[in-house]
Amino acid sequence: AGMLRSLDEGVGRVLVKLRDRGLDKNTIVIFASDNGGFIGIDKKSGQTVPATNNAPLRSGKGSCYEGGIRVPLIVHWPGVTTQGAVCREPVIVMDLLPTLLNATGIELPDDVTFDGLDLTPLLKDPGVKLDREALHFHYPHYYSTTTPVSAVRSRDWKLLEYYEDKRVELFNLKEDPGETTNLTKEYPERTAQLRKQLQRWRNEVGAQEPRPNPEFRARKSESR
């Protein structure tokens, strides 16, 4: 709570300084987060140390569940955004680069490509839909909240594929934002389609794959 208050005060100081210097009318202010809240799982004890709560979203930082990747994004662009407007279209941090390039009129060579899309149409009209097939996420690492995993979100549907056991999970985020019910058995065709799409994306971008560590030695249990 103390950190949230301090952050709020810090944002306020930035906005006041912009206004005092006459820059508030031609400055785009973006507030975002890089990942979901840290839920404080201690690796050694397995106990949860209270830090934050992402409910009703599942899990937290490091995870490809919504608690780990669904984060705040607030954009204030004078003359473009409408105060208090809410947009439900899924976007991703990589969208900010092409958006800001468009806003500043900076042009790059034609052979430069982006993973993201220009969000200007959304900022002008929150009801617009982006021409995007899906959002992809890739975390080939171990963390207190996850084992190596990839995920793909296509509108309301989201699929996760775990590397260790090739486990696949399918969720309808509109009906089940907490990702409590795995629908792979109920929707086998959709599961296969999204899994194939995720694998194709990993190949296209050359996604890093987890590899066995030849020097790993399992720790033996201590005798008592």
Side-chain angles (χ1 to χ4, degrees):
M3 292 185 69
L4 287 175
R5 177 174 178 175
S6 178
L7 176 62
D8 186 55
E9 292 172 345
V11 172
R13 286 196 293 268
V14 171
L15 296 180
V16 168
K17 182 61 68 172
L18 288 172
R19 185 186 63 199
D20 291 345
R21 300 191 63 179
L23 299 173
D24 56 313
K25 301 301 182 183
N26 66 339
T27 299
I28 300 173
V29 178
I30 299 175
F31 181 94
S33 175
D34 62 336
N35 51 245
F38 174 64
I39 57 177
I41 297 178
D42 183 81
K43 293 182 179 180
K44 293 183 179 180
S45 66
Q47 299 297 312
T48 299
V49 181
T52 191
N53 189 322
N54 301 308
L57 304 181
R58 180 174 177 178
S59 196
K61 179 179 178 178
S63 166
C64 277
Y65 292 119
E66 292 298 281
I69 59 176
R70 185 183 295 200
V71 298
L73 174 61
I74 303 173
V75 180
H76 173 67
W77 184 350
V80 175
T81 55
T82 301
Q83 183 175 354
V86 177
C87 178
R88 302 296 181 186
E89 182 74 358
V91 300
I92 199 164
V93 172
M94 284 84 82
D95 295 331
L96 296 182
L97 176 58
T99 303
L100 293 176
L101 288 176
N102 175 60
T104 54
I106 297 176
E107 295 184 4
L108 295 181
D110 294 336
D111 60 348
V112 175
T113 58
F114 301 108
D115 288 328
L117 298 177
D118 180 9
L119 300 181
T120 303
L122 284 184
L123 299 176
K124 292 180 177 180
D125 181 1
V128 168
K129 299 294 183 182
L130 294 176
D131 184 19
R132 174 155 47 198
E133 183 181 12
L135 293 175
H136 303 86
F137 307 88
H138 186 59
Y139 194 79
H141 314 287
Y142 287 88
Y143 193 68
S144 58
T145 54
T146 189
T147 58
V149 62
S150 293
V152 55
R153 174 173 178 173
S154 179
R155 293 299 166 189
D156 295 331
W157 293 94
K158 180 179 170 187
L159 178 135
L160 293 87
E161 181 179 29
Y162 285 87
Y163 278 90
E164 278 194 344
D165 55 7
K166 300 302 180 182
R167 181 173 87 257
V168 175
E169 298 175 352
L170 178 70
F171 303 102
N172 185 305
L173 297 180
K174 182 178 181 180
E175 303 295 333
D176 181 24
E179 297 169 291
T180 61
T181 305
N182 184 358
L183 300 174
T184 53
K185 293 183 179 180
E186 288 82 352
Y187 297 91
E189 292 184 1
R190 186 177 295 275
T191 298
Q193 180 262 322
L194 287 175
R195 189 174 193 179
K196 183 177 180 180
Q197 180 177 331
L198 179 58
Q199 293 170 343
R200 182 176 68 248
W201 172 81
R202 287 195 301 243
N203 291 333
E204 289 176 353
V205 302
Q208 179 185 0
E209 301 287 326
R211 293 177 296 175
N213 179 2
E215 299 182 3
F216 173 77
R217 296 292 182 272
R219 180 183 300 177
K220 296 182 179 179
S221 301
E222 296 180 2
S223 59
R224 297 181 180 273

